[in-house]
Amino acid sequence: DIHMTQSPSSLSASVGDRVTITCQASQYIRIYLNWYQQKPGKAPKVLIYDASNLETGVPSRFSGSGSGTDFTLTISSLQPEDIATYYCQQYHILPLTFGGGTKVEIK
Amino acid sequence: QLQLQESGPGLVKPSETLSLTCTVSGGSISSSSHYWGWIRQPPEKGLEWIGSVYYSGSTYYNPSLESRVTISVDTSKSQFSLKLSSVTAADTAVYYCTRDGRLNWFDTWGQGTLVSVSS
């Protein structure tokens, strides 16, 4: 299985801050990396697919980058509604696997 | 708008079989462009892909669960189902049904249903 490592596991930032979350794959996965946002008590929602493509309807303050084994999710200006846990997920090789999550809180 | 809705018992006894059904509405389960899958999330933990099924019945399972999992599809009812046998407390989780493109990203999720394994 491809192991996905996210960091940090949690972070606290102020409204308006730039927030960066990283995801590292245990082996090469090209650009086959997606990002999800999960708010408390809700199902996850895809934000970014294929490493850098913004899903329809997702605010442009979210962006993704990377390829190979190292990937980044950036929130350019943190908003109160962005409080959630963020997960990366690879689909280069089955089984599909997720990172452990990054919990984002407001300072 | 596509909607997915899980249904099934919220409590299962150890060693028994967990059975859930997902009903698809607002779209076709016979889409050639999509798979239908199950993902679970133990309380306060991360996400685990269980497996996916194509409308034709072709399946892909997570090897960690493959010996206990069956996912099937009933296109006439616009439903797909999950069976997980020989459950233990470690199978307690919120179970989500999902749609994905072609085993890539999950673009639609059900609301999730909590299944507890306890005697």
Side-chain angles (χ1 to χ4, degrees):
Chain A
D1 297 8
I2 296 179
H3 185 69
M4 308 301 292
T5 303
Q6 284 184 238
S7 61
S9 56
S10 66
L11 66 88
S12 182
S14 299
V15 172
D17 281 355
R18 183 180 185 88
V19 170
T20 299
I21 299 168
T22 65
C23 178
Q24 184 172 60
S26 61
Q27 57 184 278
Y28 180 77
I29 60 170
R30 296 182 68 178
I31 60 165
Y32 301 144
L33 188 284
N34 310 309
W35 290 97
Y36 298 84
Q37 175 193 65
Q38 185 178 33
K39 296 185 178 181
K42 300 294 187 182
K45 164 190 166 184
V46 64
L47 299 175
I48 303 280
Y49 62 91
D50 284 347
S52 62
N53 292 291
L54 200 65
E55 177 74 336
T56 302
V58 174
S60 58
R61 63 181 179 273
F62 291 93
S63 64
S65 64
S67 65
T69 59
D70 296 299
F71 301 86
T72 300
L73 173 69
T74 300
I75 309 173
S76 61
S77 176
L78 186 68
Q79 300 301 305
E81 59 267 31
D82 300 335
I83 299 313
T85 300
Y86 294 83
Y87 294 93
C88 61
Q89 174 245 322
Q90 69 80 25
Y91 68 95
H92 182 52
I93 295 176
L94 295 181
L96 307 175
T97 51
F98 292 86
T102 296
K103 188 174 184 179
V104 174
E105 298 175 321
I106 294 287
K107 191 180 295 183
Chain B
Q1 181 184 357
L2 184 73
Q3 291 188 316
L4 307 180
Q5 178 66 58
E6 305 90 350
S7 59
L11 181 64
V12 181
K13 290 182 168 54
S15 80
E16 295 189 344
T17 296
L18 178 160
S19 295
L20 294 173
T21 295
C22 183
T23 301
V24 178
S25 60
S28 174
I29 199 170
S30 298
S31 166
S32 60
S33 301
H34 298 99
Y35 276 71
W36 307 91
W38 293 93
I39 290 171
R40 69 179 183 177
Q41 184 172 36
E44 304 303 316
K45 293 190 176 179
L47 301 161
E48 180 180 34
W49 174 69
I50 299 171
S52 297
V53 64
Y54 196 51
Y55 76 95
S56 64
S58 297
T59 53
Y60 293 87
Y61 298 135
N62 191 323
S64 67
L65 298 167
E66 186 166 14
S67 63
R68 299 193 291 132
V69 170
T70 302
I71 298 176
S72 58
V73 61
D74 186 337
T75 55
S76 67
K77 295 182 179 179
S78 288
Q79 294 178 334
F80 60 103
S81 299
L82 167 69
K83 291 189 185 301
L84 182 65
S85 64
S86 305
V87 297
T88 69
D91 295 309
T92 292
V94 174
Y95 286 77
Y96 294 100
C97 60
T98 63
R99 184 186 79 166
D100 66 82
R102 282 282 187 127
L103 301 176
N104 45 28
W105 58 90
F106 306 98
D107 64 3
T108 308
W109 298 63
Q111 65 184 21
T113 186
L114 175 63
V115 179
S116 299
V117 178
S118 175
S119 55

